[in-house]
Amino acid sequence: MDDNVRDVWLDCDPGHDDALAIILAGYDKLLNLLGVSTVAGNQVVEKVTLNALGTLTASGLSSIEIHGESGLEFAEGGSMQDYAVGSPLPQKAVMLMFERISAQFAKRGRPVCLVCTGALTNAALLLLLYPEVIPMIEVVLMGGCIGSGNTGPVVEFNMQTDPEAAKVVFEAGVRSLTMVPLEVTHTALATPAVLLRIAQRQTPFLQLMQKLLLFFAQTYKEVFNFEHPPLHDPLAVFYVACPSAFTVRRMRVDIETCSTLSAGQTVCDIHRRQNALPENASVALTVDVEKFWDSMIAAILKADMLSPLNISSNNIA
């Protein structure tokens, strides 16, 4: 295997952007996706697991192994669960994560990147039950915010879902932890120009991708006054494939777990006011949006070539 290829385990709670994160992780040429695990967040774990299975099937990634009211329903009816084929592996998620991560670490002698795009429940359990995994992994997560949140004034959804787990992960002492916050993901917008790049072939799979990219368009326009919807979770996957596309800053990040106003807040000491506390995270500040969309669209188009949704269709251009 090419030394530039990074081994990745993706832990997610598949809603629309997690589905796209799975596709990017599975098809980016610089990533080797070892497996997918699911965690409750957008919906209960049984349903998000079906969404993940549906994504793997629809995108032609059904050989990737996975553990684990839909969290991903479309306005006109149906959901990603409609595409699910097969069953998740029977082991507890963290047991399988440790088994595969430790085996790959022993094989290649380099850390596996644990990419978390949902609540950090599984990641925290992995670190608590198998502390020997700490030197074997690097963690990249989509979540948190430096300033304004999306489910509270200063709180982001993934961190708010399980603040205690987030605290465990940020304080575990992993060799590298990178946080891709809302301030960065809110710059990766699904503009008409982006949509046009996947609209030239009218296949069932690409039509499904357009639905996913526009999934939160109305909500973000009404609540946050965004003209175009952002894409969150794939940015964490993209960081692993192309860290040079980001600017990051080392800092101390603490997780608020007690406040009734801001449980789950990522308290980012961006100006180093708490000198007594060591820096424990790299926080992304910007991303090259064009490079991100180049990678995301390339992965979507690769998946389109292998998607079983297109096989019996007469609509392929």
Side-chain angles (χ1 to χ4, degrees), residues 252-254 267-269 271-279:
R252 176 73 187 187
V253 179
D254 288 292
V267 182
C268 299
D269 189 9
H271 298 298
R272 298 186 176 130
R273 302 296 297 273
Q274 302 183 84
N275 291 327
L277 297 175
E279 297 167 344

Side-chain angles (χ1 to χ4, degrees), residues 43-112:
Q43 250 291 353
V44 296
V45 71
E46 292 82 4
K47 292 185 176 182
V48 297
T49 301
L50 285 175
N51 285 336
L53 284 169
T55 300
L56 293 171
T57 303
S59 63
L61 288 169
S62 55
S63 62
I64 300 295
E65 294 180 319
I66 181 171
H67 181 91
E69 174 181 336
S70 167
L72 183 44
E73 293 172 341
F74 303 116
E76 64 273 31
S79 76
M80 285 302 295
Q81 295 178 21
D82 298 335
Y83 306 106
V85 174
S87 302
L89 295 174
Q91 297 103 312
K92 299 294 185 184
V94 293
M95 295 173 66
L96 184 63
M97 291 164 74
F98 177 72
E99 175 186 309
R100 299 299 169 82
I101 288 170
S102 59
Q104 193 69 4
F105 180 77
K107 178 181 178 180
R108 296 193 69 193
R110 56 188 298 180
V112 171

Side-chain angles (χ1 to χ4, degrees), residues 1-9 30-32 34 97 100-115 132-140 173-177 240:
M1 184 181 294
D2 188 335
D3 286 342
N4 292 321
V5 174
R6 293 297 311 275
D7 297 312
V8 170
W9 184 282
L30 293 176
L31 302 177
N32 175 37
L34 300 178
M97 291 164 74
R100 299 299 169 82
I101 288 170
S102 59
Q104 193 69 4
F105 180 77
K107 178 181 178 180
R108 296 193 69 193
R110 56 188 298 180
V112 171
C113 193
L114 175 59
V115 180
E132 61 268 39
V133 82
I134 290 175
M136 303 178 191
I137 61 171
E138 296 176 356
V139 176
V140 177
V174 295
R175 59 197 303 162
S176 174
L177 188 155
V240 184

Side-chain angles (χ1 to χ4, degrees), residues 143-217:
C145 55
I146 299 171
S148 297
N150 60 356
T151 51
V154 292
V155 181
E156 181 273 333
F157 175 77
N158 290 340
M159 300 296 105
Q160 187 182 49
T161 301
D162 194 343
E164 292 77 16
K167 184 177 179 67
V168 168
V169 173
F170 274 82
E171 296 182 2
V174 295
R175 59 197 303 162
S176 174
L177 188 155
T178 303
M179 177 178 114
V180 182
L182 289 178
E183 283 81 3
V184 172
T185 65
H186 278 174
T187 66
L189 304 180
T191 64
V194 167
L195 295 171
L196 185 62
R197 294 174 67 179
I198 63 168
Q200 297 178 28
R201 280 170 50 87
Q202 291 299 310
T203 66
F205 179 77
L206 291 180
Q207 290 170 357
L208 175 62
M209 293 300 99
Q210 290 184 59
K211 290 180 183 179
L212 293 179
L213 288 169
L214 293 173
F215 192 76
F216 275 149

